[in-house]
C-alpha cells in the first residue's frame, strides 16, 4: 500500500511543479540566514538531523490532546488539558517546520515531491489546531471535531515522514554500513605515482568506495559516498583540507571526516592509509 501511495504522489505533475517552484525560494530564504544558522537547522551541531527529534514534541502533545478530548467526551466533564496540550504541540510544530524545510530544501527526486505533501498535511493540521482553540470558546463540540480532524491529518503526515526517512532515506547516513569494518587488513588500491599532489582518486577496497587525497605530500582516505544523500565525493571539489559534494554542497574534512558544512550531519568515514613498495594501501580504522 505504501508504494502505491508514494507512486501516486510521484506521478502528480502539479506536485512536481510546486516543489520545483518552492524549493529555490526556501533554499534562498534559509541561505540568507547564513551558513552557520542553516547548518544548525540541519543538525550539524548534533551530529544527527534535528528535525526528527523535534517532531516528537507536536506528535506527543497532540496525541495527549486527542486522549484528553476522548476522555472529556466520555465523561462529559470539561477540562483545560486539551487546550494546553494543543498549545504545546503548536509551539513544537513551528520549530519542527523550520528544520523540516531546511532538510527538504536539499532533497531531490521523489523525496522532494513526498516532502511537499508531508509539509502540506502538517501545515493544514496546524491550522486546524489553531482554529480548534478559537472555536472551542464558542462551540466546544465543533472545536473538538476540528482537533480530531487535525489529529488524523497529522498522523497521515507522520506516515509520510516515516517513509521519507526509511523509504527515501532522507536524513540517514548514506555510507556503507554493512561494510563498516572493511577492509580488515591493509589492501593495495593504487600505485603511489598515480595519485598526484592536490588530486583525488576513487578506489575500491573489498566493495568499499574510498576517496584517496594527496595533499602536501600526505595521503588521506575517506568514504567516497556523501553521508547526506549518497553523492560521489570524487566528482566534487577539493578545497584546502575539505572536499565538497557535487550534489548539495556538503563539505567534509579529509583529515578526520568531520562535517565542515551541511546539509550533511553525519561525518564521513575515514581509513588508515600507508604507502608500501610503491603502492597505496588502506584498511578500516582499528578499534
Amino acid at each position: 500500500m505504501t508504494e502505491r501511495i508514494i507512486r501516486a504522489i510521484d506521478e502528480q505533475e502539479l506536485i512536481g511543479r510546486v516543489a520545483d517552484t518552492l524549493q529555490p525560494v526556501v533554499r534562498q530564504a534559509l541561505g540568507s540566514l547564513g551558513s552557520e544558522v542553516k547548518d544548525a537547522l540541519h543538525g550539524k551541531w548534533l551530529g544527527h538531523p534535528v528535525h526528527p527529534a523535534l517532531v516528537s514534541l507536536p506528535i506527543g502533545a497532540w496525541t495527549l490532546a486527542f486522549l484528553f478530548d476522548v476522555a472529556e467526551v466520555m465523561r462529559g466533564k470539561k477540562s483545560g488539558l486539551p487546550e494546553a496540550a494543543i498549545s504545546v504541540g503548536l509551539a513544537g510544530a513551528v520549530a519542527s517546520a523550520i528544520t523540516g524545510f531546511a532538510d527538504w530544501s536539499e532533497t531531490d527526486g521523489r523525496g522532494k515531491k513526498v516532502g511537499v505533501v508531508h509539509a502540506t498535511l502538517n501545515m493544514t493540521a496546524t491550522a486546524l489546531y489553531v482554529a480548534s482553540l478559537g472555536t472551542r470558546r464558542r462551540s466546544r463540540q465543533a472545536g473538538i471535531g476540528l482537533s480530531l480532524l487535525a489529529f488524523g491529518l497529522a498522523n497521515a503526515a507522520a506516515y509520510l515522514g516515516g517513509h521519507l526517512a526509511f523509504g527515501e532515506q532522507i536524513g540517514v547516513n548514506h555510507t556503507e554500513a554493512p561494510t563498516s569494518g572493511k577492509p580488515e587488513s591493509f589492501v593495495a588500491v593504487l600505485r603511489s605515482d598515480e595519485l598526484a599532489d592536490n588530486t583525488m582518486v576513487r578506489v575500491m577496497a573489498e566493495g568499499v568506495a574510498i576517496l584517496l587525497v594527496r595533499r602536501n605530500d600526505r595521503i588521506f582516505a575517506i568514504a567516497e559516498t556523501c553521508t547526506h544523500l549518497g553523492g560521489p565525493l570524487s566528482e566534487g571539489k577539493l578545497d584546502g583540507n575539505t572536499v565538497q559534494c557535487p550534489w548539495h554542497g556538503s563539505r567534509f574534512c579529509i583529515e578526520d571526516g568531520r562535517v565542515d558544512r551541511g546539509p550533511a550531519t553525519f561525518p564521513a568515514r575515514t581509513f588508515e592509509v600507508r604507502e608500501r613498495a610503491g603502492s597505496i594501501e588502506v584498511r578500516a580504522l582499528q578499534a
Side-chain angles (χ1 to χ4, degrees), residues 85-103:
I86 290 173
S87 298
V88 171
L90 289 173
V94 173
S96 178
I98 295 173
T99 56
F101 275 118
D103 289 345

